[in-house]
Amino acid sequence: MDARFARMLCVLCLVITVGAFTQEGFKEVLLKRLGLSEVPKLHKRDLVDLVIPDHVKNKYISMLKRHRVKRRALPSLAGILRGIPGNAGEVLYSDTTMRQNLIFDMEGRIPKNSEVTMAELKLFKKPLDRANLPAKQSHRPVSNARVSVYWVQRQHDGTNRTSLIDSRLVPIRESGWKNFDVTQAVHYWLRNKRREPMFLEVWIEGERVGSHASEMAKAVRFTSQDPKDKALGKPELVLYTLDLEDYGGPGDCKEEAVMGKSTCCRQKHYINFRELAWTQYWIIEPAGYQAYRCSGGCLQPPSPLRRFGYRERTCAVAESSPLPMMYLIKRGNRTEIEAAEFPNMIVEKCSCVTDS
């Protein structure tokens, strides 16, 4: 570990030990991690026609799956959602991408005082229609298509903004159910707190760059939400939840912690990258995340012991985990996308430590 990286870690420890990220402290950590002196001067136009390279997308998804929030044991099935009647969910085609829109009614689907621990999107891949395959030519064989799932956030100005949720290669010649982990999308919807359905987009692309791979990918078809689509296996959103009364995480704050009446515990603290002026164009993914913070008081040593050097005990971070991020970098006149893990971004456990 070089000296610069070690200094960065020390700064980050100071930021999270006090219990929460401050905007300035958080900004300083990111800049130090990237070796930058200031936030790149990026604008909305830098996102126009922006294409995420496959190797960056694969790296981000791999990190995201590895560091996905730990799921608790024994979740119960909350419901299987099959779309909203009357909303067909259109299918859009372009030269390189096929996009299928999905709409799910979430209102009242999640039991009160419960937590969504897992959500799966199940798509049924139709049997291959060979008439959709391009004519055989002397190309390198293509066996798979890249299928990615995005959460769609409706902006107040009428535009949409998407967040990459899951991505995988799907064999072109196989049919049947394909599952995607969309837990993060449901968490985003819950954070949004709007009384509207959840919108997802499924992108089907070539497994590699090139027109032949794109043409092969167009042969992949999933059953849609359109009632006119008579194929078996409509898209399903499967939700799993836990009753917090029975399975509440040890060490997490109860309601009284908000009033400052709790012993040391972990409290929810969400950071929304889309609402911070300096991150909304810089950080591509994720849209935001649950960072948590440490809150509450600690039992103090008796006064006689303090005279012998026993210091005050404070509630601080005991364990943390990294956060995968995808972000823009300016190199001269070029804007590029990179992915990396930022250590110690999510508070996993709080405990009382001696202030030294």
Side-chain angles (χ1 to χ4, degrees), residues 186-204:
V186 175
H187 289 169
Y188 284 160
W189 182 87
L190 289 168
R191 283 294 312 174
N192 220 28
K193 292 183 179 178
R194 293 183 188 173
R195 292 185 176 274
E196 63 177 21
M198 188 168 77
F199 300 92
L200 298 175
E201 263 188 5
V202 179
W203 293 21
I204 305 173

Side-chain angles (χ1 to χ4, degrees), residues 86-339:
N87 289 278
E90 56 189 328
V91 179
L92 308 174
Y93 295 88
S94 69
D95 291 340
T96 59
T97 309
M98 183 177 79
R99 301 185 185 183
Q100 182 172 336
N101 292 339
L102 301 174
I103 310 172
F104 294 97
D105 182 12
M106 302 285 289
E107 195 66 30
R109 301 288 186 170
I110 301 171
K112 291 183 179 180
N113 198 33
S114 66
E115 178 182 327
V116 176
T117 58
M118 185 168 63
E120 286 185 320
L121 176 66
K122 298 181 66 176
L123 300 175
F124 188 82
K125 184 180 176 299
K126 298 179 180 180
L128 179 66
D129 183 352
R130 296 189 178 278
N132 292 327
L133 290 174
K136 287 187 177 180
Q137 298 179 13
S138 56
H139 292 282
R140 186 155 56 104
V142 175
S143 302
N144 304 298
R146 165 70 61 183
V147 179
S148 303
V149 179
Y150 290 79
W151 172 63
V152 181
Q153 182 180 16
R154 301 289 178 93
Q155 306 284 79
H156 294 294
D157 61 3
T159 61
N160 293 337
R161 190 161 185 186
T162 60
S163 296
L164 178 61
I165 300 300
D166 199 3
S167 182
R168 56 175 290 201
L169 292 176
V170 171
I172 293 174
R173 289 174 171 81
E174 290 182 7
S175 63
W177 289 102
K178 307 298 176 185
N179 297 347
F180 298 86
D181 185 343
V182 293
T183 310
Q184 190 176 13
V186 175
H187 289 169
Y188 284 160
W189 182 87
L190 289 168
R191 283 294 312 174
N192 220 28
K193 292 183 179 178
R194 293 183 188 173
R195 292 185 176 274
E196 63 177 21
M198 188 168 77
F199 300 92
L200 298 175
E201 263 188 5
V202 179
W203 293 21
I204 305 173
E205 305 164 283
E207 69 171 320
R208 59 174 182 264
V209 177
S211 58
H212 181 60
S214 296
E215 289 300 314
M216 289 290 291
K218 289 179 181 178
V220 173
R221 296 285 192 277
F222 293 108
T223 304
S224 72
Q225 292 177 332
D226 192 339
K228 297 176 183 177
D229 189 344
K230 301 302 182 182
L232 297 175
K234 293 293 184 184
E236 296 180 355
L237 180 63
V238 185
L239 302 178
Y240 296 88
T241 61
L242 281 179
D243 186 336
L244 294 182
E245 289 293 330
D246 297 329
Y247 297 103
D252 285 356
C253 296
K254 306 298 182 185
E255 188 174 344
E256 61 267 19
V258 180
M259 307 301 294
K261 299 178 182 178
S262 172
T263 54
C264 183
C265 58
R266 189 180 71 154
Q267 185 178 338
K268 288 184 177 180
H269 178 67
Y270 191 82
I271 294 178
N272 191 333
F273 292 137
R274 301 283 162 83
E275 292 182 355
L276 297 178
W278 58 275
T279 62
Q280 59 180 329
Y281 302 132
W282 181 24
I283 297 176
I284 303 298
E285 302 289 351
Y289 79 106
Q290 190 65 255
Y292 295 100
R293 61 184 175 188
C294 295
S295 176
C298 296
L299 184 65
Q300 299 301 325
S303 298
L305 290 179
R306 295 186 191 183
R307 291 198 293 268
F308 292 97
Y310 286 85
R311 299 178 182 270
E312 184 176 358
R313 300 171 77 233
T314 57
C315 185
V317 178
E319 293 180 16
S320 61
S321 60
L323 176 72
M325 291 169 57
M326 201 161 21
Y327 50 91
L328 293 179
I329 288 292
K330 278 274 195 181
R331 290 192 170 91
N333 294 325
R334 292 182 298 126
T335 303
E336 298 181 358
I337 304 176
E338 293 187 355

